[in-house]
Amino acid sequence: MTKMKDLSAYLCLTKLDLDYNGFSEISGLEQCTMLTHLSLAHNRISRISGLYNLPLSHLCLRGNQLERIEGLETIKSLQFLDLSLNRIRSLSGLQNLCILSSLNLKKNLISEIKECKHIHELSLLRDLNLLQNPVQEQQDYRLSVVFLLQHLTMLDQEKVTAEEKVSSVNKYDPPIEVVAARDHMTHLVYQLMQPQMLYDSTLPSADSPYPILVLTGPQGCGKRELAHRLCQDLNECFGYGICHTTRGPYFGEENGIDYHFVSEEDFQNMIHMGKFIQTMHYGGHRYGLTRDAIEEVARDGLACCVHMELEGVLSLKNSFFEPRYVLLLPTDVEKYTGHLKSRSIYEPAQIDVAVSRIDLYTNTIEQQPGFFDNVIPCDDWEEVYPTLRQIVKEYLLSEELKGENNNRADDASTAHEPDEKPPSPLSTLMSHFSATLDPSDPAHANYFTRIQAELSPQKNPTELASIRRREQLVREAVMGKSPGVYSLLFKSSTQNAPSSQQNSDSQHLEESRETHTKSSGSEESHASTALSVPTSAAAFEEQVNGSALGHAVETPKDHLESDQSANTSRADSDHLAAVASSPSSDRRPGSNMKPLLPPIPAGRKTPLVPSMSPSPRGSPNTAATEEGQTNTEQ
Ligand SMILES: Nc1ncnc2c1ncn2[C@@H]1O[C@H](COP(=O)(O)OP(=O)(O)OP(=O)(O)O)[C@@H](O)[C@H]1O
């Protein structure tokens, strides 16, 4: 048949199959108000019409000459639609079919993934077939469609798996945790590809994490100013960690003070050089915290204070650092918006983003109690800084007091208890940084596993030797026989700044070679060296020489002498430093062999091979020697 007949007389008709005819038009069905199933497959229909208000639930127009989807808007009851084997290019025309659950568009001419936007709102759509359409050639076609149509359970006759759904979301709209994990992974991989360095300055104590204070919160909440102010105010304790950014400086900002302003290309290169600990995209620019930025502060014997957005915090939480996080949260949106406007540097869209991100922070507080160590509402600018200062002071003071008590206790009784250690400002900060962690919190599991490992009685002979030596010196200090070495160590002075592995190595060599040479030495050198713990490499040397335990029982006098000897003439020191840093030097048996991984003191998360190559910041070895510094071994 080539023309449809008038079927008005069949009012109760529910199913009609007219496949394989020659119809070019749909007609004669207007009165069939009970018709739910209609099949007109393999005809010559080029336009959908004549179906107005029919109660169809199943419609098949397979194998016709359709070029567009039209005339279906009023068929609200449609659930199964087969338009396969046509010439359809767009999915427009389907958007009103709110209970559509199955759509077959196999063998059509759909070429763009973006066509899915027309069926994006069809929340009951479960089965979509786009097989043999040009769109299949598009890169990541399946993942993109799964992402755009998240209710689908079947795509192209294949089940959509849960893994596919998760992957698609992680690819196209990753949650911030995923972004942070990827960011961390990227930097870790690039870092591992570099010659490895031991960053002694961030490990002033093997027992505590290096203290970092992170001020976080939405853009323009004042955290940067607060960080600067805190570092000025408590400059005995904190140094400002300068991040890198690809954005240009605002008026009044200075390179190397507010940020290191770098080009996109430089930033990218730095990523590839494994410089960053974390990075983040914000407002079309990149921001990142480098290992060197932290090192710079740590070498001054200070805790590092940085500011960053939530994504940065998440990324940092994946790293081996264990900062304290203080959230500065605007609670009065109007006031916050007003403040952002008054800065006159933000576009309205930027302000909207910043304001909308408040929810990110509040949700995090609600969903992950304890995620931030402290939350300070930052609506009242007069009050914020004193509050922050108070919190930080409380950390410091309470720990200082605790430290004093420990000292006294040490004095009175711990001469026989070598496990007690007196605190230093930085170490008290560190101990506080670790003191309030909750062991039941999975976020801190890693930390506690590590602490557990550190508390383990199984220490190797070298570690024992190191611990005993420190304890001995501490007892001396407490009894007034030597200066308060712990308090001297972390003062903001270059004299006490810890040094690199290579430098420590050379120092140790110097000590070991001149242990019995008496020469005059300054107090600083004594203080600094007295605190030393053998470096891994030095420990290795001790082991090679079979003298690790010998060191363990060496007397304080030996120490004094070796410390003094460490401060011998600069020429000697330079020479030894050069020898120590020279890969070909014959400084210990087997030193001409491939470097062997020495034992790592407990508490180090990353086993690092001491590098013979100069540090990116210039050879700390040389620098330290030039400054006539003595070394603090870790
Ligand atoms: N390394 C980093 N990682 C994550 N976020 C960062 C980092 N460095 C800076 N940020 C944050 O990126 C956002 C944009 O920084 P930018 O300096 O451009 O903003 P701002 O307008 O000066 O606001 P603010 O006063 O909060 O710094 C700020 O919230 C800032 O704290």
Side-chain angles (χ1 to χ4, degrees), residues 219-220 223-224 247 250 259 278 287 307-309 346:
Q219 180 176 29
K223 55 194 184 301
R224 180 139 59 101
R247 82 154 162 78
Y250 297 143
Y259 285 104
Q278 60 78 221
Y287 297 83
H307 65 94
M308 60 180 61
E309 290 277 348
Y346 306 119

Side-chain angles (χ1 to χ4, degrees), residues 366-386:
E366 274 166 25
Q367 287 159 17
Q368 300 181 58
F371 183 92
F372 304 106
D373 297 291
N374 227 304
V375 182
I376 307 177
C378 62
D379 308 312
D380 189 340
W381 299 109
E382 298 299 309
E383 276 179 23
V384 187
Y385 182 71

Side-chain angles (χ1 to χ4, degrees), residues 514-549:
E514 300 182 32
T515 300
H516 301 291
T517 310
K518 289 187 180 179
S519 63
S520 64
S522 71
E523 275 205 340
E524 290 94 46
S525 80
H526 175 85
S528 173
T529 319
L531 277 165
S532 23
V533 195
T535 59
S536 304
F540 170 66
E541 187 185 20
E542 282 177 341
Q543 285 190 333
V544 168
N545 293 335
S547 62
L549 287 172

Side-chain angles (χ1 to χ4, degrees), residues 399-417:
E399 291 304 323
E400 267 167 24
L401 280 177
K402 224 193 271 175
E404 274 171 28
N405 292 339
N406 279 353
N407 266 334
R408 270 182 230 120
D410 255 0
D411 213 0
S413 62
T414 57
H416 309 293
E417 289 176 25

